[in-house]
Amino acid sequence: MKRLILIGRSGVGKTTLAQALRGEAVCYKKTQYVSYSDVIIDTPGEYLQTAGLGAALALYSYEADVAGLLAAATEPYSLYPPNITCMVNRDVIGIVTQIDRPEGNAEQAENWLRLAGCKTIFHVNAKSGEGITELLRYLREPGEEGAPV
């Protein structure tokens, strides 16, 4: 499985998504530091929200095969600059979270991720599991069981 780094503001659902991808029970847990597992690097939202810490995300991304930029459907604005993905020399995907929220606008979140440079976008609801299978399929290495041909 490709190693994925999750990047997004606080409250976007990075840790919840990491739990869902690992098949764990989904429960709220604030990430206080960069957390590693075999295939997921979970980062604190403050790294994206604080200008002086943004460079740390670039450094941690070198340890991943895929960078995942998360945007919640409920976000009022985007923290991602246009075409930011060109700064990363690996696949960068967009992940729209909290798609079940009635006040959300998943289409707007997807547009922000596309403006940032993400060409592949996933819509997920980590609590219900919607979109998780598609994301896992994308992360499989060629030849892994169940990997797309």
Side-chain angles (χ1 to χ4, degrees), residues 83-144:
N83 297 313
I84 190 68
T85 62
C86 68
M87 299 179 68
V88 181
N89 64 353
R90 58 209 6 82
D91 289 342
V92 181
I93 60 172
I95 304 170
V96 179
T97 60
Q98 302 176 16
I99 59 173
D100 61 322
R101 302 282 292 274
E103 72 277 17
N105 185 343
E107 183 179 336
Q108 179 64 66
E110 179 176 337
N111 289 339
W112 285 329
L113 291 168
R114 290 201 186 282
L115 183 62
C118 298
K119 293 181 178 30
T120 303
I121 308 283
F122 296 92
H123 289 243
V124 301
N125 178 340
K127 292 181 180 176
S128 73
E130 183 179 350
I132 298 299
T133 300
E134 292 80 5
L135 181 52
L136 285 169
R137 189 174 298 127
Y138 175 85
L139 293 172
R140 287 191 184 118
E141 295 282 3
E144 276 187 304

Side-chain angles (χ1 to χ4, degrees), residues 20-42:
L21 290 171
R22 288 191 298 258
E24 299 173 357
V26 172
C27 64
Y28 176 77
K29 180 179 122 187
K30 171 68 179 119
T31 301
Q32 299 291 335
Y33 53 87
V34 176
S35 173
Y36 290 85
S37 70
D38 288 344
V39 294
I40 299 171
I41 303 171
D42 188 7

